[in-house]
Amino acid sequence: MKKNRKIKRFISLIKDGIKNFIDKLNWHYIVITVIILVGIGVLVGSYWISDPELKNIAVGLGTGIVTSALVTLCIDLMNARIEQRKLAKYKRMLLNPLCNAIKTLYVQIALSVNEYRVREEKGHYFLLPLEDTKELSHFFNEMKDIDIESVGDEKKKNRLVDFISVSSVYLKEVISQYEGLPFESLILDNIITQEEFDQLKRFTLVNECKKCLGILGDKTLSEKDRYNTSVQLLHCMMLFINRLMRIFDFIALKIEIENDGIKKHLDDIYYNEIYIFSDEYVEQWAERAEAEAEYYAEHPELLEEVEESEEEQLHRKINTAIWAGDVETIKACFPQIDKNNKQIQSELTWSVAKDVMKDKVLRELYFQKYGIKYKVRKDKRRKK
């Protein structure tokens, strides 16, 4: 029984393959090709005709058949190409509102997701298109496991709120534009292919997005349920956009252009909010300062030419005091510190400074200057 089923299934697959091949054949071009071959056959056959008059007739007939068939083929190919360009242009025009809505929404989601990942040091960015979405789905599943109601750290909770804060207006616009497409008319007019039609009509993700939006419309929803539903909505919409990009190249092109600006923005956040506070950055700065000091020690005549700014002098003075354990010097320097100077703040919160910063007066000065309690930074490095 199993053998018979396998044989029947194999025969069925072969039949379907033959049927699809026949459906894709352009019989018009096949007929023209056959006519050209007939014309060539007449020309070849004229070689063996001995009667000059009949030979000339055969050559003229063969040449006429081949020439007319080739001209017809060229004209058909040119017309087909022109028609394809018209259809491609018409397709873009019809799908342009959906494309613009997707681009606007994508920028909002990509920023929310990746800004959170940067500030939480989760690793690389998620920028579409993605060949494999397993890692993306794993990230969203991890986010859904977070119980936002039990998060006590206000800073972390605010980041979670920012993470899900994508306006429903953008989400609804994409769904509205998608559902407004006349799929059946598009395929009947050959504007989209059968394969594109099948892929577009199979999007159960849209129904899941609509379901999530419906749930979020309930004003009595708890904070936990609202957070989980929002994460699910962003997850489904990212997968939906990724699939549309794989179907339509022009949508992918628009989004890939946006990726350049998004990546630059995220790199700036990482550098200004994470990297300059890392021990790696401070160590590199200290190494450069040490190398510079050694260089000028060997070339004292150049030292006079270097004009050090007041801010640089203050930074050097505090750095020297940290290494020397000189608490009083740091206290005296505090009134001159610009609270926007991230380098000095980074120095003070480095693990090397923890001994001098044990002083209660220094901690109070730090709080007054920066508005936050003193805390030594952990040694974190960027994940690749």
Side-chain angles (χ1 to χ4, degrees), residues 123-150:
H124 61 82
Y125 312 143
F126 284 133
L127 299 174
L128 301 183
L130 294 172
E131 287 294 327
D132 189 351
T133 56
K134 287 181 181 177
E135 192 177 354
L136 177 70
S137 296
H138 178 70
F139 166 71
F140 275 107
N141 289 332
E142 281 186 337
M143 295 304 295
K144 278 194 289 186
D145 289 338
I146 297 174
D147 183 359
I148 193 170
E149 291 179 341
S150 64

Side-chain angles (χ1 to χ4, degrees), residues 97-107 109 166-181 183 206 209-210 213 236-238 240-241 244 251:
L98 173 63
C99 181
N100 289 334
I102 286 171
K103 183 184 73 172
T104 303
L105 175 62
Y106 169 73
V107 171
I109 297 178
V166 176
S167 175
S168 62
V169 174
Y170 301 121
L171 295 156
K172 289 176 181 177
E173 178 65 15
V174 168
I175 294 172
S176 174
Q177 291 293 342
Y178 172 78
E179 291 187 327
L181 291 175
F183 295 110
V206 176
C209 290
K210 288 170 66 179
L213 283 170
C236 291
M237 193 54 77
M238 282 283 274
F240 174 66
I241 294 172
L244 282 178
I251 294 180

